[in-house]
Amino acid sequence: MSSEEIVFDGGEGQCERFIRLVRKAAFSQGKLDDSRWVAMFASTCFEGKALRWYSALDTATKTDWNLMEPALLTEFSGPVLSSQVEGKAPSIEQ
């Protein structure tokens, strides 16, 4: 899957699908464990609001998928729970 087939403009409800498509593309290229490659690939898919958001990111986030993915989710889908990032089930504290 090429970046020409994946476009993300930051529209409502698109973020999770975009992340899944980027992961699938990275997997098909044998690059899923290469965070820099995945981030650079994803950067070629942005347009509109998402491209403006990407342009304002710091260099570290632009070049590291492990930083970019939660930033995408926070910006376009709401905050990411720390338990989600750490791979734990969310807990409810009373």
Side-chain angles (χ1 to χ4, degrees):
M1 181 174 296
S2 73
S3 62
E4 291 297 317
E5 299 168 354
I6 303 172
V7 176
F8 179 63
D9 65 7
E12 189 172 333
Q14 296 178 6
C15 188
E16 289 84 359
R17 182 173 188 275
F18 170 70
I19 289 171
R20 183 179 58 81
L21 290 172
V22 167
R23 287 179 182 172
K24 283 182 73 170
F27 179 80
S28 73
Q29 296 295 313
K31 298 288 189 175
L32 194 54
D33 290 333
D34 186 342
S35 184
R36 181 174 175 80
W37 187 95
V38 179
M40 295 291 97
F41 176 82
S43 75
T44 67
C45 303
F46 297 128
E47 67 180 22
K49 179 181 177 182
L51 181 59
R52 290 188 301 277
W53 168 82
Y54 173 80
S55 295
L57 289 175
D58 61 274
T59 302
T61 304
K62 283 182 177 180
T63 59
D64 185 342
W65 180 247
N66 294 322
L67 298 175
M68 186 186 295
E69 183 178 351
L72 277 163
L73 289 167
T74 298
E75 181 68 22
F76 298 106
S77 295
V80 177
L81 300 174
S82 62
S83 60
Q84 290 171 314
V85 173
E86 296 168 3
K88 300 177 187 172
S91 61
I92 300 172
E93 295 183 22
Q94 297 181 0

